[in-house]
Amino acid sequence: MTSNSNREKILGAIRAKLGVRGDEAGRRGLARTRIDRAPAGIIPARAQEERAALIRRFTASLESQGATVERLKKRAEAPEAIAALLRGLNMPLQLRMGEEPLLDSMPWDTTPLDIKRGAAEASDFTSLSWAKCAAAETGTLFLASGPDNPSTLNFLPEMHIVMIAAEDIVGPYEEAWGKIRQIHGRGKMPRTVNLISGPSRTADIEQTIVMGAHGPKKLVVFIASR
């Protein structure tokens, strides 16, 4: 059975339970209107603060979930900050990243870092991504997949470093998704948008927290200007 036939079988079962055919003009119109207009839900008060407060909330939320957050005066400081971070952790001075222009333009040649490009490999210790935006209400980074920021960077290395522009930290999820739509264009969304709120962890086994079970053990976030 093909994936399409499996899909139709599942959808057919759902329609049968709902007592609908699925081709009703009214139902399709409602769905199309919702997709086109992307109505916002109820925005919590904590997501409606002014910019400085949102950045503080974003930072505090990430730190409470085990991430490290550092504020840089300008983006060009990132290479040396990353090199210092790796030295302090006694980790290899190696970094894997994609083809993001905002990262490419940084002065990497001023550091001893060995920069590797493309999708992450199992042997990579540290990766670097650029977040398109973030929602301060839960301290969540939005990372869109593509050659500029391959999704493997989010999952394979032991440590994931993410840079985000201060002006791209918004309050609610609705505004973050709006920025993603604006960047990529309606109907041209990236294949995957990964939402990250801290390093990987699980308590599936005897309710004991284990770090790095499904991804990086350590998440470091640098906030800088674009």
Side-chain angles (χ1 to χ4, degrees), residues 27-39:
R27 288 172 59 84
R28 286 183 174 273
L30 287 172
R32 176 51 57 192
T33 298
R34 186 171 183 83
I35 291 171
D36 289 342
R37 296 182 181 177

Side-chain angles (χ1 to χ4, degrees), residues 53-71:
L54 287 176
I55 293 176
R56 289 195 297 269
R57 181 176 295 280
F58 171 73
T59 300
S61 184
L62 272 173
E63 290 177 339
S64 72
Q65 297 175 84
T68 299
V69 184
E70 183 174 340
R71 188 75 183 265

